[in-house]
């Protein structure tokens, strides 16, 4: 290791003055310790970006590893003479384990790998869920891929117009509300969809995210093309004694999460009953008993979150399938839409896999370039997608808003005799 060249970075240094830990301190201390010129050059280029108020990264072409079409995002500096150590600063996405559980030895090996092959700068995790290894050069990519797969038993994640790395919450490994085994499902889907994950063939990106309950801790409904949300279809389980304990102040609401100040005595009507979105709950003060009209419950989880020792999800569990969430790209941002209100989830989950394949078959054939699934649904209409593409029956749960289009369009097979008319027969009925 030779001497490193430092740059004057007053704007970046300003970020070190706040009350919170700074990434600037982290990068500088790492670069000093390991004599990494890339650490100082990245700060120098960022200083220039702050000064000019524009990026100095350019996309100079496609880079990757042999046999894969994704997993590496090429990044090149347009200030290579000033900052030669970051002439290339490629990002490597690594497929995270389900629910992001790690053994400490695996993390140490990963850090050692990146110290040796890259900049040493990592992000755990990217917004899609991947482990993000920030900054390496083209010549190191095959070595990194070999070490990941042979030494760490890890694989690259997804990038480009393909299936992005599937992601899930902690599920049954840690959460008592989880209605489905999110980790097993993610492991199964990741193995099943290897070709779609590594070899881009889609109109644009496709994300699968799984949450174990309607709290949706991975924001699947806001961020994924195919959202799987654990739910139940029987009654919420009620412990009436525990409900009375909450009302009487013996148990703290929200598991004590808001105990930083005195909010006054717990008011079940104000904090639970009146906040129920479907008004399906009733507290009988005389009987000291909670009633729930489960047929009207939409599984929002609010009452369960407020009184976790009194209320629990039902026992007949499965998942709700929603589709079409996306960021504002061609059209505005949107949440995913309920497609299947309830489906059982049993290994190997062939019913869900077949549904995903059916969606992909249509979208790959009919989706436009850089068009997310949600935008395809917007373009062709939700009714056509549900009935014609998926072969499902329309349900009340499919209604997002009252109709605004006054026209009804019939298909030819729905009209007696179709569109064809006999001119001679018409003239017999309507003589000149």
């Amino acid at each position: 290791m030779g001497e490193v060249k430092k740059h004057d970075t007053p704007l970046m240094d300003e970020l070190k003055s706040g009350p919170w830990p700074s990434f600037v301190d982290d990068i500088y201390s790492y670069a000093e310790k390991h004599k990494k010129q890339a650490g100082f050059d990245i700060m120098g280029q960022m200083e220039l970006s702050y000064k000019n108020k524009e990026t100095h990264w350019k996309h100079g072409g496609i880079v990757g590893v042999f046999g894969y079409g994704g997993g590496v995002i090429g990044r090149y500096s347009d200030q290579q003479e000033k900052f030669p150590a970051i002439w290339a600063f490629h990002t490597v996405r690594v497929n995270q384990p389900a629910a992001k559980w790690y053994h400490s030895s695996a993390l140490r090996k990963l850090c050692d790998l990146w110290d040796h092959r890259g900049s040493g700068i990592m992000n755990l995790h990217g917004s899609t869920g991947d482990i993000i290894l920030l900054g390496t050069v083209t010549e190191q990519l095959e070595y990194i891929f070999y070490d990941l797969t042979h030494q760490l038993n890890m694989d690259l994640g997804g990038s480009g117009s393909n299936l992005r790395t599937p992601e899930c919450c902690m599920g049954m490994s840690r959460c008592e509300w989880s209605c489905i085994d999110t980790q097993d499902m993610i492991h199964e889907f990741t193995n099943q969809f290897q070709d779609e994950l590594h070899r881009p063939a889609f109109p644009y990106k496709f994300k699968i995210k799984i949450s174990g309950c309607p709290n949706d801790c991975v924001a699947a409904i806001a961020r994924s093309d195919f959202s799987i949300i654990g739910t139940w279809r029987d009654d919420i389980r009620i412990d009436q004694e525990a409900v009375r304990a909450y009302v009487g102040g013996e148990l703290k609401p929200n598991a004590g999460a808001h105990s930083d100040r005195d909010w006054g005595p717990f008011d079940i009507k104000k904090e639970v009953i009146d906040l129920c979105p479907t008004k399906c709950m009733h507290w009988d003060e005389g009987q000291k008993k909670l009633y729930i009209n489960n047929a009207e419950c939409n599984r929002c989880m609010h009452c369960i979150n407020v009184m976790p020792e009194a209320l629990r999800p039902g026992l007949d569990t499965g998942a709700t399938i929603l589709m079409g969430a996306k960021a504002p790209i061609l059209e505005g941002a949107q949440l995913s839409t309920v497609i299947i209100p309830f489906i059982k989830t049993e290994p190997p989950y062939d019913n869900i896999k077949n549904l995903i394949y059916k969606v992909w078959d249509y979208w790959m054939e009919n989706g436009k370039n850089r068009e997310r699934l949600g935008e395809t649904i917007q373009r062709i209409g939700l009714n056509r997608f549900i009935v014609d593409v998926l072969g499902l029956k329309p349900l009340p749960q499919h209604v997002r808003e009252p109709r605004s289009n006054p026209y009804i369009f019939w298909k030819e097979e729905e009209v007696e005799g179709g569109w064809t008319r006999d001119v001679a027969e018409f003239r017999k009925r309507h003589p000149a």
Side-chain angles (χ1 to χ4, degrees), residues 17 30 47 50 57 82-83 91 136 169 199 228 255 257 264 274 288 324 331 339 348 352 355 385 396 416 419:
S17 63
Y30 177 85
E47 175 77 18
Y50 274 47
W57 295 116
K82 290 182 180 179
F83 311 112
T91 293
T136 192
C169 67
R199 296 168 185 89
I228 303 174
D274 291 348
K288 300 292 182 183
E331 300 287 342
I339 301 297
I352 299 178
L355 178 62
F385 181 74
E416 185 178 352
W419 304 139

Side-chain angles (χ1 to χ4, degrees), residues 278-294:
T278 61
K279 308 300 179 187
C280 71
M281 307 183 77
H282 172 68
W283 170 249
D284 190 311
E285 186 63 38
Q287 297 182 15
K288 300 292 182 183
K289 189 174 182 179
L290 179 67
Y291 293 92
I292 300 177
N293 180 2
N294 284 276

Side-chain angles (χ1 to χ4, degrees), residues 239-253 266 268 283 288 307 309-310:
D239 182 340
Q240 296 290 355
E241 286 295 325
V243 175
R244 288 189 279 272
Y246 278 109
V247 174
E250 301 163 44
L251 293 174
K252 292 184 177 181
F266 176 64
I268 190 172
W283 170 249
K288 300 292 182 183
M307 302 189 294
E309 293 191 46

Side-chain angles (χ1 to χ4, degrees), residues 45-226:
Q45 179 167 300
M46 196 175 296
E47 175 77 18
L48 197 60
S49 292
Y50 274 47
K51 182 179 179 180
N52 297 337
K53 296 183 174 58
E54 61 185 12
T55 183
H56 285 286
W57 295 116
K58 62 180 181 178
H59 196 293
I62 302 298
V63 291
V65 298
F66 185 73
Y68 278 24
V72 180
I73 297 93
R75 192 157 284 124
Y76 300 88
S77 171
D78 67 6
Q79 301 290 322
Q80 295 180 10
E81 290 187 7
K82 290 182 180 179
F83 311 112
I86 58 168
W87 70 272
F89 207 74
H90 306 319
T91 293
V92 180
R93 289 182 179 170
V94 181
N95 193 324
Q96 80 282 2
K100 304 183 180 76
W101 285 108
Y102 296 95
H103 195 285
S104 57
S105 64
L107 290 176
R108 289 190 180 95
K109 288 180 180 178
L110 189 62
C111 290
D112 290 342
L113 163 64
W114 203 234
D115 283 342
H116 180 52
R117 299 290 185 190
S119 69
I121 303 172
M122 301 168 62
N123 175 16
L124 279 80
H125 299 80
S127 60
T128 300
D130 296 294
I131 307 164
I132 305 298
L133 305 181
L134 289 161
T136 192
V137 294
T138 308
E139 291 78 11
Q140 291 287 354
L141 292 176
E142 289 295 343
Y143 296 110
I144 292 167
F145 182 53
Y146 184 90
D147 289 346
L148 280 172
T149 53
H150 290 72
Q151 305 297 331
L152 281 79
N153 198 28
M154 292 182 175
D155 199 1
L156 297 187
S159 68
S161 295
N162 63 0
L163 172 64
R164 299 299 179 85
T165 310
E167 185 186 16
C168 70
C169 67
M170 293 183 294
M172 293 178 174
S173 68
R174 193 164 175 81
C175 180
E176 59 186 315
W177 303 144
S178 187
C179 299
I180 55 178
D181 192 341
T182 59
Q183 290 171 281
D184 186 61
M185 294 178 74
I186 284 294
H187 180 74
E188 181 69 28
F189 291 164
T190 302
N191 288 336
Q192 176 72 30
F193 302 135
Q194 279 291 295
D195 195 54
E196 292 79 9
L197 184 60
H198 296 306
R199 296 168 185 89
F202 293 160
Y204 202 26
K205 66 181 81 169
F206 191 94
K207 297 182 179 181
I208 299 174
K209 297 186 186 296
I210 306 177
S211 288
C213 78
N215 278 326
D216 191 14
C217 290
V218 295
I221 294 174
R223 301 193 297 152
S224 63
D225 303 85
F226 197 94

Side-chain angles (χ1 to χ4, degrees), residues 388-430:
D388 296 345
V389 177
L390 300 181
L392 302 174
K393 292 183 178 180
L395 298 170
Q397 290 93 332
H398 293 147
V399 178
R400 288 197 300 179
E401 59 188 20
R403 61 177 289 153
S404 56
N405 185 344
Y407 296 98
I408 297 175
F409 294 91
W410 301 93
K411 299 176 184 176
E412 184 172 4
E413 60 269 20
E414 295 173 331
V415 177
E416 185 178 352
W419 304 139
T420 304
R421 293 292 182 268
D422 189 315
V423 176
E425 288 296 322
F426 177 85
R427 287 174 176 167
K428 284 181 183 179
R429 297 193 303 273
H430 301 278

